Amino acid sequence: MIRTAFFISDGTGITAESLGRSLLAQFENVEIRKLTKPYIDTIEKARSLVSIIEATAIRDGVQPIIIDTIVDERIRDVIRAAPGFKVDIFSTFLEPLERELDTHSSYSVGRTHAIASDDAYMDRIHSVHFALDNDDGARTHQYDKADVILVGVSRCGKTPTSLYLALQFGVRAANYPLTEDDQDENGSLKLPAVLARQRHKLFGLTIDPRRLSAIRHERRPNSRYSSIDQCMQEVAQAEAMYRKLHIPFIDTTRFSVEEISTRMIAETGINRRFSPR
């Protein structure tokens, strides 16, 4: 049986979707179709959505799961009329907090993802620009300004991790690809001089060779670059260098970019410039 989950918000829907996905991820044996419905900010939109939910209940033969962060009481009342198992995040948590703090919530739409201050917003933008400018070994002369330098073989997840660190935490992340150009005369990887000067900022990424081969095959099918032998060799050399030089590293094979980033921050103690949204 397939269950449908609606993540509903009168704002961006990011909070409802993030929390909803985290909760539903605990039920691995249930197939769930996930639908995000942001900006349900009028009675008319809410009524239209209720019709969709009703049709979904009839089609599935079981009530949908409704996870919402609706602030407006009138819109919330309309959604409550829909057939479904409801998880009302704001009413569940805000009302007990109001009692504990002895004050009323502002009940403002979009406060979680609003621009808190111009300085914080610009810091986020500068961090993203830094990650883009220093992607894939570009502009190595800026490494002295980096908070962390991710190293690893091609296609192991360096770029998405760098961008996530920048966007979510304001971390200035550069990344450098380990290639055959960085091998010594014995065929082993050596640390390039530009990285040796910033060795305390290095963090390594590795990946299962079979997974790496599959990823590379999508880009360059049936090439030496994507062959399993080449991938095994590159990964083994990278991991050997990490261990020899005591560079901390993480296997990205089974981790999402969110998990890679937070685990890296926890292990290195890098300062976040702000909390994730």
Side-chain angles (χ1 to χ4, degrees), residues 229-277:
D229 289 342
Q230 179 68 18
C231 292
M232 290 178 65
Q233 178 183 341
E234 290 185 31
V235 169
Q237 289 179 337
E239 291 183 2
M241 187 185 75
Y242 298 154
R243 294 188 178 95
K244 178 181 178 180
L245 300 178
H246 304 290
I247 297 171
F249 68 96
I250 187 172
D251 187 333
T252 66
T253 308
R254 294 176 181 84
F255 291 140
S256 66
V257 66
E258 295 90 345
E259 291 175 300
I260 296 167
S261 301
T262 51
R263 285 172 180 268
M264 189 210 73
I265 288 176
E267 185 168 339
T268 62
I270 294 173
N271 289 328
R272 309 179 182 191
R273 288 186 173 82
F274 42 74
S275 298
R277 294 189 177 277

Side-chain angles (χ1 to χ4, degrees), residues 5-255:
F6 288 88
F7 307 132
I8 306 170
S9 174
D10 40 14
T12 64
I14 294 173
T15 300
E17 182 176 1
S18 297
L19 182 54
R21 286 183 178 274
S22 295
L23 293 172
L24 295 175
Q26 307 306 314
F27 302 93
E28 297 178 353
N29 296 326
V30 181
E31 185 176 353
I32 299 176
R33 181 190 299 111
K34 304 176 183 71
L35 300 173
T36 302
K37 300 295 182 180
Y39 300 112
I40 305 301
D41 50 9
T42 67
I43 298 295
E44 291 72 23
K45 289 181 181 178
R47 288 172 177 162
S48 177
L49 179 57
V50 168
S51 297
I52 294 173
I53 295 172
E54 290 172 345
T56 301
I58 294 172
R59 181 197 66 199
D60 293 350
V62 64
Q63 64 179 357
I65 298 165
I66 300 172
I67 299 176
D68 80 82
T69 54
I70 299 291
V71 172
D72 190 303
E73 283 280 0
R74 299 170 305 156
I75 298 174
R76 197 187 305 169
D77 287 342
V78 174
I79 298 298
R80 283 196 186 108
F85 176 82
K86 300 173 185 68
V87 181
D88 186 336
I89 295 172
F90 278 174
S91 65
T92 300
F93 296 108
L94 280 184
E95 290 173 8
L97 278 172
E98 286 178 335
R99 291 193 295 270
E100 175 64 26
L101 298 174
D102 194 25
T103 186
H104 289 291
S105 163
S106 62
Y107 284 87
S108 299
V109 177
R111 290 189 65 87
T112 305
H113 304 285
I115 299 174
S117 71
D118 288 341
D119 288 344
Y121 181 74
M122 292 310 299
D123 206 21
R124 185 187 301 273
I125 297 302
H126 291 324
S127 297
V128 171
H129 284 170
F130 185 89
L132 292 171
D133 288 344
N134 291 276
D135 182 45
D136 212 26
R139 303 195 183 187
T140 56
H141 64 279
Q142 295 185 355
Y143 282 1
D144 60 319
K145 299 180 177 66
D147 297 318
V148 64
I149 304 170
L150 301 179
V151 294
V153 301
S154 172
R155 311 302 287 180
C156 70
K158 300 184 298 301
T159 296
T161 302
S162 296
L163 288 171
Y164 186 86
L165 287 167
L167 186 61
Q168 292 295 317
F169 303 111
V171 171
R172 293 322 196 241
N175 72 79
Y176 184 95
L178 299 172
T179 68
E180 293 178 342
D181 293 338
D182 299 313
Q183 292 179 348
D184 60 21
E185 59 276 6
N186 298 318
S188 300
L189 279 179
K190 63 180 180 180
L191 201 62
V194 67
L195 295 182
R197 292 192 291 269
Q198 305 291 338
R199 184 167 162 180
H200 61 291
K201 297 181 180 180
L202 301 183
F203 193 90
L205 301 184
T206 188
I207 188 172
D208 181 87
R210 292 178 294 276
R211 174 61 179 154
L212 180 61
S213 177
I215 293 172
R216 288 183 173 184
H217 185 77
E218 294 178 1
R219 190 174 188 183
R220 299 182 195 169
N222 302 316
S223 64
R224 175 173 174 267
Y225 171 76
S226 63
S227 70
I228 186 63
D229 289 342
Q230 179 68 18
C231 292
M232 290 178 65
Q233 178 183 341
E234 290 185 31
V235 169
Q237 289 179 337
E239 291 183 2
M241 187 185 75
Y242 298 154
R243 294 188 178 95
K244 178 181 178 180
L245 300 178
H246 304 290
I247 297 171
F249 68 96
I250 187 172
D251 187 333
T252 66
T253 308
R254 294 176 181 84
F255 291 140

